[in-house]
Amino acid sequence: MPISLVVILLVLFLGVSLQTSEALDPFACDPEDGTSGNFPFCQVKLPIQSRVSDLIGRMTLQEKVGLLVNDAAAVPRLGIKGYEWWSEALHGVSNVGPGTQFGGAFPGATSFPQVITTAASFNATLWEAIGRVVSDEARAMFNGGVAGLTYWSPNVNIFRDPRWGRGQETPGEDPVVVGKYAASYVRGLQGNDGDRLKVAACCKHFTAYDLDNWNGVDRFHFNAQVSKQDMEDTFDVPFRMCVKEGKVASVMCSYNQVNGIPTCADPKLLKKTVRGRWKLDGYIVSDCDSVGVYYSQQHYTTTPEEAAADAIKAGLDLDCGPFLVQHTEDAVKKGLLNEAEINNALLNTLTVQMRLGMFDGEPSSKPYGNLGPKDVCTPAHQELALEAARQGIVLLKNHGPSLPLSTRHHQSIAIIGPNSNVTVTMIGNYAGVACGYTTPLQGIERYAKTIYQQGCADVACVSDQQFDTAMDAARQADATVLVMGLDQSIEAESRDRTELLLPGCQQELISKVAAASKGPTILVLMSGGPIDVSFAENDPKIGGIVWAGYPGQAGGAAISDVLFGTTNPGGKLPMTWYPQDYVTNLPMTNMAMRPSKSNGYPGRTYRFYKGKVVYPFGHGISYTNFVHSIANAPTMVSVPLDGHRQASRNATISGKAIRVTHARCNRLSFGVQVDVKNTGSMDGTHTLLVYSKPPAGHWAPLKQLVAFKKMHVAAGTQERVGINVHVCKFLSVVDRSGIRRIPMGAHSLHIGDVKHSVSLQASIIGVIKS
């Protein structure tokens, strides 16, 4: 049989390609290589730490330096190939970064909704499930030779300012939600095979990074001035949860400075906090060219060798960019750095590679070696992308009610707007090549006859030339759906917004079409960040408003399912929607979370801002009604104190808030049983949000989320759900010195319209030394 025919048959029947067979060669430790295969670092039965030490001991300084950068050099004499560390998987395997290429046997991968949309589901089980699918597809593509195993995702920065162009990549503004998302998604990506990794995830960008390019200030030059209180209370929380609960294999430091020191050169952040306090079991990587940026643009050091030495001494293990490979060897020669410090960096990166199985020989014999093209874009994976979009869509307004639409009464739909028939807009940024798309127009066509008019040429909407034809369409149809909002030309990496209003003439188009519409008018918004749509909320001609975020490859199907009631919306906003007035005189550069009456500073996020909003954090309505009642909850909880602390009895007990480190926090939690009744006529999925309002005090937030649960409740039925509240984690507050404390006294739990008071009282255990 001709060899070409054999190849064709393999492709057709086995789902493999020439790419796949080439890539299945080992990264290192080829059992057929008589030289390298017998090295101790190739012996799988030995402890990984011993293997890594053996490998490092065999390398020259020059070879070691070649491994300090993302495009790590090969070490041919040891049988080690070059490796590209930089791959991305924010909401699906991405082609951002050189580590991943689409084409051939892998034309695309499942593209889930942008993170801000998925976060609106408040469903940690879903977040982990998405991570499992993404890592399946990533491993399959690695086996095919077109992807790596180290993915610099997720982005767990706080969505602090509504103008931030990258807010779309984050799980929102609440530190606990962001941290829970981080831990869940990372667990899905990295797998549960003990110390072994399916892929290695990375939580980024550490820390206080949430400004890209605003009013002449960019991320490469920004010095974020952050108080100890805000660092502990807000910015550190998601990263701490990612490392301690998610067991992430990597943390990325950011471009910006924090309090005058570049994050990638700050040993207090990297060595003391991430690796010391939080016990990172993995490597620390720079954002791309960060080391070069703080040398050449921030002028933090005088020489490049000093910059390289500062990074490695601070705890950086890997440089995304060429800087360390160019200057580290000279830093050693000049006595600024010693080889042992380089060894420490390699210990962390090589350990992760060994946990990934990259030094175990033949990949096809490993747990994930059978994954290939057949495991990418599967029907099950694409169905999960659709379900994620359904769960993330938020119903903001339903006057009348106008929704859901009826296939009997609304047989023709005018679908209007620049986002009505888009594809790549739906997958946001840091995306790859989707398996396929269902646009909003295509989704609605499954339910009704459509009359399509774009209305505006694009989201910039600089002209009203197409308004008349759009209004004519609305006059003819039984209902009108406007699909408006933003895209990456308005909000993106390196592109922060200057205002919160819809771009160009979009507002005018919406109002005119609504006024002309024969039937109900529904406004669907695509965006990552919040938009001031007060005009639409207050317009009686606009019956419904739906936020779809950037809903992924199946976004159009999910939107139409919600509009026609096949899906009952259950999403909640993971960020506050502010009015335009909020940002008029508010610099993005002010990092303070808490308000200041003396200078008129309003504060940020629902935890500290109490001014007017368009829609609050957690807002989202349903086609049915849910009623809460507390079935069981304590009224008093005793907080045991460690009596052996060097503190006086009076100071510990009589103070209004005790240090978390003085309490016995292990297992210090209490349960709350909540009954949720669906009093409507439609089955629904409900998001239970539990807030705590701490006792009054200047440290405390207005309220803070302590727990959330997703639950399905059939029409006319009641379900009971249990919530566990960890006292030290979720009922504590942070004082001005950055010390976490537990306020004694009455904490008010808020669950919907229901409130319940829990009193915390300190109790002494052991002997107090005065």
Side-chain angles (χ1 to χ4, degrees), residues 63-86:
E63 288 169 339
K64 292 173 184 177
V65 169
L67 301 184
L68 293 175
V69 290
N70 62 289
D71 55 337
V75 187
R77 69 182 186 85
L78 298 178
I80 300 171
K81 296 179 180 178
Y83 178 69
E84 178 53 69
W85 286 83
W86 182 6

PDB file of all heavy atoms in Angstrom, residues 63-86:
ATOM      1  N   GLU A  63      23.768  27.074  30.020  1.00  0.00           N
ATOM      2  CA  GLU A  63      22.574  26.267  29.771  1.00  0.00           C
ATOM      3  C   GLU A  63      21.447  26.646  30.734  1.00  0.00           C
ATOM      4  O   GLU A  63      20.279  26.718  30.343  1.00  0.00           O
ATOM      5  CB  GLU A  63      22.909  24.778  29.910  1.00  0.00           C
ATOM      6  CG  GLU A  63      23.760  24.247  28.764  1.00  0.00           C
ATOM      7  CD  GLU A  63      24.315  22.862  29.046  1.00  0.00           C
ATOM      8  OE1 GLU A  63      24.389  22.454  30.235  1.00  0.00           O
ATOM      9  OE2 GLU A  63      24.691  22.172  28.081  1.00  0.00           O
ATOM     10  N   LYS A  64      21.801  26.913  31.973  1.00  0.00           N
ATOM     11  CA  LYS A  64      20.794  27.318  32.954  1.00  0.00           C
ATOM     12  C   LYS A  64      20.140  28.632  32.566  1.00  0.00           C
ATOM     13  O   LYS A  64      18.906  28.778  32.627  1.00  0.00           O
ATOM     14  CB  LYS A  64      21.427  27.438  34.338  1.00  0.00           C
ATOM     15  CG  LYS A  64      21.880  26.126  34.954  1.00  0.00           C
ATOM     16  CD  LYS A  64      22.649  26.364  36.254  1.00  0.00           C
ATOM     17  CE  LYS A  64      23.182  25.062  36.820  1.00  0.00           C
ATOM     18  NZ  LYS A  64      23.995  25.279  38.038  1.00  0.00           N
ATOM     19  N   VAL A  65      20.942  29.588  32.159  1.00  0.00           N
ATOM     20  CA  VAL A  65      20.406  30.896  31.776  1.00  0.00           C
ATOM     21  C   VAL A  65      19.454  30.762  30.592  1.00  0.00           C
ATOM     22  O   VAL A  65      18.444  31.474  30.512  1.00  0.00           O
ATOM     23  CB  VAL A  65      21.565  31.876  31.478  1.00  0.00           C
ATOM     24  CG1 VAL A  65      21.043  33.153  30.820  1.00  0.00           C
ATOM     25  CG2 VAL A  65      22.312  32.209  32.758  1.00  0.00           C
ATOM     26  N   GLY A  66      19.735  29.840  29.711  1.00  0.00           N
ATOM     27  CA  GLY A  66      18.856  29.627  28.555  1.00  0.00           C
ATOM     28  C   GLY A  66      17.478  29.132  28.916  1.00  0.00           C
ATOM     29  O   GLY A  66      16.554  29.183  28.093  1.00  0.00           O
ATOM     30  N   LEU A  67      17.305  28.666  30.158  1.00  0.00           N
ATOM     31  CA  LEU A  67      16.003  28.159  30.613  1.00  0.00           C
ATOM     32  C   LEU A  67      15.226  29.187  31.431  1.00  0.00           C
ATOM     33  O   LEU A  67      14.152  28.872  31.942  1.00  0.00           O
ATOM     34  CB  LEU A  67      16.201  26.900  31.459  1.00  0.00           C
ATOM     35  CG  LEU A  67      16.905  25.715  30.795  1.00  0.00           C
ATOM     36  CD1 LEU A  67      16.913  24.521  31.742  1.00  0.00           C
ATOM     37  CD2 LEU A  67      16.259  25.340  29.474  1.00  0.00           C
ATOM     38  N   LEU A  68      15.737  30.402  31.544  1.00  0.00           N
ATOM     39  CA  LEU A  68      15.080  31.418  32.371  1.00  0.00           C
ATOM     40  C   LEU A  68      14.036  32.234  31.626  1.00  0.00           C
ATOM     41  O   LEU A  68      13.447  33.146  32.201  1.00  0.00           O
ATOM     42  CB  LEU A  68      16.138  32.376  32.954  1.00  0.00           C
ATOM     43  CG  LEU A  68      17.118  31.785  33.973  1.00  0.00           C
ATOM     44  CD1 LEU A  68      18.173  32.821  34.347  1.00  0.00           C
ATOM     45  CD2 LEU A  68      16.380  31.301  35.219  1.00  0.00           C
ATOM     46  N   VAL A  69      13.808  31.939  30.346  1.00  0.00           N
ATOM     47  CA  VAL A  69      12.904  32.736  29.521  1.00  0.00           C
ATOM     48  C   VAL A  69      11.810  31.860  28.933  1.00  0.00           C
ATOM     49  O   VAL A  69      11.919  30.635  28.920  1.00  0.00           O
ATOM     50  CB  VAL A  69      13.678  33.466  28.395  1.00  0.00           C
ATOM     51  CG1 VAL A  69      14.545  34.568  28.979  1.00  0.00           C
ATOM     52  CG2 VAL A  69      14.518  32.484  27.593  1.00  0.00           C
ATOM     53  N   ASN A  70      10.759  32.511  28.419  1.00  0.00           N
ATOM     54  CA  ASN A  70       9.599  31.743  27.950  1.00  0.00           C
ATOM     55  C   ASN A  70       9.940  30.814  26.787  1.00  0.00           C
ATOM     56  O   ASN A  70       9.437  29.695  26.710  1.00  0.00           O
ATOM     57  CB  ASN A  70       8.441  32.670  27.565  1.00  0.00           C
ATOM     58  CG  ASN A  70       8.765  33.602  26.427  1.00  0.00           C
ATOM     59  OD1 ASN A  70       9.544  34.538  26.596  1.00  0.00           O
ATOM     60  ND2 ASN A  70       8.174  33.379  25.260  1.00  0.00           N
ATOM     61  N   ASP A  71      10.818  31.268  25.871  1.00  0.00           N
ATOM     62  CA  ASP A  71      11.232  30.368  24.786  1.00  0.00           C
ATOM     63  C   ASP A  71      12.522  29.680  25.221  1.00  0.00           C
ATOM     64  O   ASP A  71      13.613  29.944  24.710  1.00  0.00           O
ATOM     65  CB  ASP A  71      11.390  31.110  23.462  1.00  0.00           C
ATOM     66  CG  ASP A  71      12.336  32.286  23.551  1.00  0.00           C
ATOM     67  OD1 ASP A  71      12.550  32.805  24.653  1.00  0.00           O
ATOM     68  OD2 ASP A  71      12.889  32.687  22.495  1.00  0.00           O
ATOM     69  N   ALA A  72      12.359  28.776  26.167  1.00  0.00           N
ATOM     70  CA  ALA A  72      13.505  28.115  26.797  1.00  0.00           C
ATOM     71  C   ALA A  72      14.299  27.322  25.766  1.00  0.00           C
ATOM     72  O   ALA A  72      13.738  26.620  24.913  1.00  0.00           O
ATOM     73  CB  ALA A  72      13.014  27.202  27.913  1.00  0.00           C
ATOM     74  N   ALA A  73      15.622  27.429  25.860  1.00  0.00           N
ATOM     75  CA  ALA A  73      16.504  26.798  24.882  1.00  0.00           C
ATOM     76  C   ALA A  73      16.584  25.289  25.106  1.00  0.00           C
ATOM     77  O   ALA A  73      16.375  24.790  26.220  1.00  0.00           O
ATOM     78  CB  ALA A  73      17.890  27.420  24.972  1.00  0.00           C
ATOM     79  N   ALA A  74      16.926  24.578  24.043  1.00  0.00           N
ATOM     80  CA  ALA A  74      17.180  23.147  24.144  1.00  0.00           C
ATOM     81  C   ALA A  74      18.530  22.910  24.809  1.00  0.00           C
ATOM     82  O   ALA A  74      19.422  23.761  24.779  1.00  0.00           O
ATOM     83  CB  ALA A  74      17.162  22.514  22.755  1.00  0.00           C
ATOM     84  N   VAL A  75      18.661  21.736  25.429  1.00  0.00           N
ATOM     85  CA  VAL A  75      19.956  21.280  25.946  1.00  0.00           C
ATOM     86  C   VAL A  75      20.216  19.920  25.291  1.00  0.00           C
ATOM     87  O   VAL A  75      19.931  18.867  25.874  1.00  0.00           O
ATOM     88  CB  VAL A  75      19.941  21.169  27.484  1.00  0.00           C
ATOM     89  CG1 VAL A  75      21.351  20.865  28.013  1.00  0.00           C
ATOM     90  CG2 VAL A  75      19.407  22.440  28.131  1.00  0.00           C
ATOM     91  N   PRO A  76      20.717  19.946  24.048  1.00  0.00           N
ATOM     92  CA  PRO A  76      20.807  18.701  23.266  1.00  0.00           C
ATOM     93  C   PRO A  76      21.634  17.610  23.944  1.00  0.00           C
ATOM     94  O   PRO A  76      21.282  16.429  23.863  1.00  0.00           O
ATOM     95  CB  PRO A  76      21.454  19.171  21.959  1.00  0.00           C
ATOM     96  CG  PRO A  76      21.145  20.639  21.875  1.00  0.00           C
ATOM     97  CD  PRO A  76      21.149  21.117  23.290  1.00  0.00           C
ATOM     98  N   ARG A  77      22.705  17.977  24.627  1.00  0.00           N
ATOM     99  CA  ARG A  77      23.571  16.939  25.200  1.00  0.00           C
ATOM    100  C   ARG A  77      22.870  16.187  26.337  1.00  0.00           C
ATOM    101  O   ARG A  77      23.284  15.088  26.697  1.00  0.00           O
ATOM    102  CB  ARG A  77      24.890  17.552  25.675  1.00  0.00           C
ATOM    103  CG  ARG A  77      24.766  18.451  26.881  1.00  0.00           C
ATOM    104  CD  ARG A  77      26.099  19.076  27.291  1.00  0.00           C
ATOM    105  NE  ARG A  77      25.949  19.822  28.542  1.00  0.00           N
ATOM    106  CZ  ARG A  77      26.038  19.274  29.737  1.00  0.00           C
ATOM    107  NH1 ARG A  77      26.273  17.982  29.862  1.00  0.00           N
ATOM    108  NH2 ARG A  77      25.884  20.015  30.836  1.00  0.00           N
ATOM    109  N   LEU A  78      21.782  16.781  26.874  1.00  0.00           N
ATOM    110  CA  LEU A  78      20.995  16.091  27.905  1.00  0.00           C
ATOM    111  C   LEU A  78      19.661  15.590  27.358  1.00  0.00           C
ATOM    112  O   LEU A  78      18.808  15.126  28.123  1.00  0.00           O
ATOM    113  CB  LEU A  78      20.752  17.025  29.099  1.00  0.00           C
ATOM    114  CG  LEU A  78      22.001  17.503  29.847  1.00  0.00           C
ATOM    115  CD1 LEU A  78      21.632  18.454  30.974  1.00  0.00           C
ATOM    116  CD2 LEU A  78      22.795  16.310  30.387  1.00  0.00           C
ATOM    117  N   GLY A  79      19.495  15.698  26.046  1.00  0.00           N
ATOM    118  CA  GLY A  79      18.276  15.189  25.422  1.00  0.00           C
ATOM    119  C   GLY A  79      17.041  16.020  25.675  1.00  0.00           C
ATOM    120  O   GLY A  79      15.915  15.517  25.591  1.00  0.00           O
ATOM    121  N   ILE A  80      17.210  17.317  25.988  1.00  0.00           N
ATOM    122  CA  ILE A  80      16.080  18.187  26.317  1.00  0.00           C
ATOM    123  C   ILE A  80      15.804  19.123  25.152  1.00  0.00           C
ATOM    124  O   ILE A  80      16.716  19.804  24.659  1.00  0.00           O
ATOM    125  CB  ILE A  80      16.383  19.015  27.594  1.00  0.00           C
ATOM    126  CG1 ILE A  80      16.631  18.075  28.778  1.00  0.00           C
ATOM    127  CG2 ILE A  80      15.222  19.957  27.906  1.00  0.00           C
ATOM    128  CD1 ILE A  80      17.150  18.795  30.010  1.00  0.00           C
ATOM    129  N   LYS A  81      14.561  19.156  24.729  1.00  0.00           N
ATOM    130  CA  LYS A  81      14.167  20.034  23.624  1.00  0.00           C
ATOM    131  C   LYS A  81      13.865  21.443  24.132  1.00  0.00           C
ATOM    132  O   LYS A  81      13.639  21.660  25.322  1.00  0.00           O
ATOM    133  CB  LYS A  81      12.921  19.481  22.932  1.00  0.00           C
ATOM    134  CG  LYS A  81      13.130  18.140  22.251  1.00  0.00           C
ATOM    135  CD  LYS A  81      11.835  17.663  21.611  1.00  0.00           C
ATOM    136  CE  LYS A  81      12.023  16.318  20.933  1.00  0.00           C
ATOM    137  NZ  LYS A  81      10.744  15.827  20.356  1.00  0.00           N
ATOM    138  N   GLY A  82      13.831  22.380  23.204  1.00  0.00           N
ATOM    139  CA  GLY A  82      13.367  23.715  23.553  1.00  0.00           C
ATOM    140  C   GLY A  82      11.887  23.688  23.888  1.00  0.00           C
ATOM    141  O   GLY A  82      11.143  22.798  23.448  1.00  0.00           O
ATOM    142  N   TYR A  83      11.448  24.642  24.689  1.00  0.00           N
ATOM    143  CA  TYR A  83      10.040  24.670  25.105  1.00  0.00           C
ATOM    144  C   TYR A  83       9.535  26.102  25.157  1.00  0.00           C
ATOM    145  O   TYR A  83      10.217  26.996  25.661  1.00  0.00           O
ATOM    146  CB  TYR A  83       9.870  24.016  26.486  1.00  0.00           C
ATOM    147  CG  TYR A  83       8.447  24.065  26.990  1.00  0.00           C
ATOM    148  CD1 TYR A  83       7.445  23.312  26.369  1.00  0.00           C
ATOM    149  CD2 TYR A  83       8.092  24.874  28.066  1.00  0.00           C
ATOM    150  CE1 TYR A  83       6.137  23.371  26.806  1.00  0.00           C
ATOM    151  CE2 TYR A  83       6.774  24.927  28.521  1.00  0.00           C
ATOM    152  CZ  TYR A  83       5.805  24.180  27.879  1.00  0.00           C
ATOM    153  OH  TYR A  83       4.502  24.238  28.310  1.00  0.00           O
ATOM    154  N   GLU A  84       8.330  26.309  24.653  1.00  0.00           N
ATOM    155  CA  GLU A  84       7.656  27.605  24.725  1.00  0.00           C
ATOM    156  C   GLU A  84       6.648  27.564  25.865  1.00  0.00           C
ATOM    157  O   GLU A  84       5.652  26.844  25.808  1.00  0.00           O
ATOM    158  CB  GLU A  84       6.945  27.921  23.403  1.00  0.00           C
ATOM    159  CG  GLU A  84       6.172  29.221  23.393  1.00  0.00           C
ATOM    160  CD  GLU A  84       7.007  30.418  23.817  1.00  0.00           C
ATOM    161  OE1 GLU A  84       7.909  30.800  23.051  1.00  0.00           O
ATOM    162  OE2 GLU A  84       6.766  30.952  24.924  1.00  0.00           O
ATOM    163  N   TRP A  85       6.936  28.364  26.918  1.00  0.00           N
ATOM    164  CA  TRP A  85       6.104  28.384  28.116  1.00  0.00           C
ATOM    165  C   TRP A  85       4.799  29.145  27.914  1.00  0.00           C
ATOM    166  O   TRP A  85       3.828  28.926  28.637  1.00  0.00           O
ATOM    167  CB  TRP A  85       6.859  29.043  29.273  1.00  0.00           C
ATOM    168  CG  TRP A  85       7.928  28.194  29.870  1.00  0.00           C
ATOM    169  CD1 TRP A  85       9.204  28.023  29.418  1.00  0.00           C
ATOM    170  CD2 TRP A  85       7.821  27.397  31.063  1.00  0.00           C
ATOM    171  NE1 TRP A  85       9.900  27.168  30.241  1.00  0.00           N
ATOM    172  CE2 TRP A  85       9.078  26.782  31.268  1.00  0.00           C
ATOM    173  CE3 TRP A  85       6.808  27.160  31.987  1.00  0.00           C
ATOM    174  CZ2 TRP A  85       9.333  25.930  32.344  1.00  0.00           C
ATOM    175  CZ3 TRP A  85       7.057  26.323  33.047  1.00  0.00           C
ATOM    176  CH2 TRP A  85       8.297  25.705  33.226  1.00  0.00           C
ATOM    177  N   TRP A  86       4.749  30.058  26.975  1.00  0.00           N
ATOM    178  CA  TRP A  86       3.641  31.013  26.870  1.00  0.00           C
ATOM    179  C   TRP A  86       2.495  30.456  26.037  1.00  0.00           C
ATOM    180  O   TRP A  86       2.529  30.490  24.819  1.00  0.00           O
ATOM    181  CB  TRP A  86       4.150  32.335  26.298  1.00  0.00           C
ATOM    182  CG  TRP A  86       3.106  33.419  26.191  1.00  0.00           C
ATOM    183  CD1 TRP A  86       1.824  33.406  26.638  1.00  0.00           C
ATOM    184  CD2 TRP A  86       3.280  34.691  25.555  1.00  0.00           C
ATOM    185  NE1 TRP A  86       1.186  34.576  26.338  1.00  0.00           N
ATOM    186  CE2 TRP A  86       2.061  35.389  25.682  1.00  0.00           C
ATOM    187  CE3 TRP A  86       4.356  35.312  24.907  1.00  0.00           C
ATOM    188  CZ2 TRP A  86       1.881  36.674  25.152  1.00  0.00           C
ATOM    189  CZ3 TRP A  86       4.184  36.585  24.396  1.00  0.00           C
ATOM    190  CH2 TRP A  86       2.951  37.258  24.524  1.00  0.00           C
TER     191      TRP A  86
END
